[in-house]
Amino acid sequence: ANGLLYGGADFFIKEIVSVVVVGAYCFFFTWIALKVIDMFMPVVVGKAGEEEGLDMHMHGEIAYED
């Protein structure tokens, strides 16, 4: 047994590199996917939609009344 507690850090470093690579892959894939979606329909709601309320702005109805 040559684990991290016994001075063998090789596998631990491989795991750290793997986590960083997968995190970067997920970040960039999501960013690219959102850019492609944004070409067809807006991803971000405008200021007027936020002030009006998303339920009324997007669906034409109020979900929660005061």
Side-chain angles (χ1 to χ4, degrees), residues 46-53:
K47 184 84 171 160
E50 287 183 5
E51 290 176 357
E52 181 182 10

Side-chain angles (χ1 to χ4, degrees), residues 30-51:
T30 302
W31 183 73
I32 290 170
L34 284 173
K35 288 294 182 183
V36 170
I37 291 170
D38 197 37
M39 284 188 225
F40 299 102
M41 60 185 296
V43 176
V44 180
V45 178
K47 184 84 171 160
E50 287 183 5
E51 290 176 357

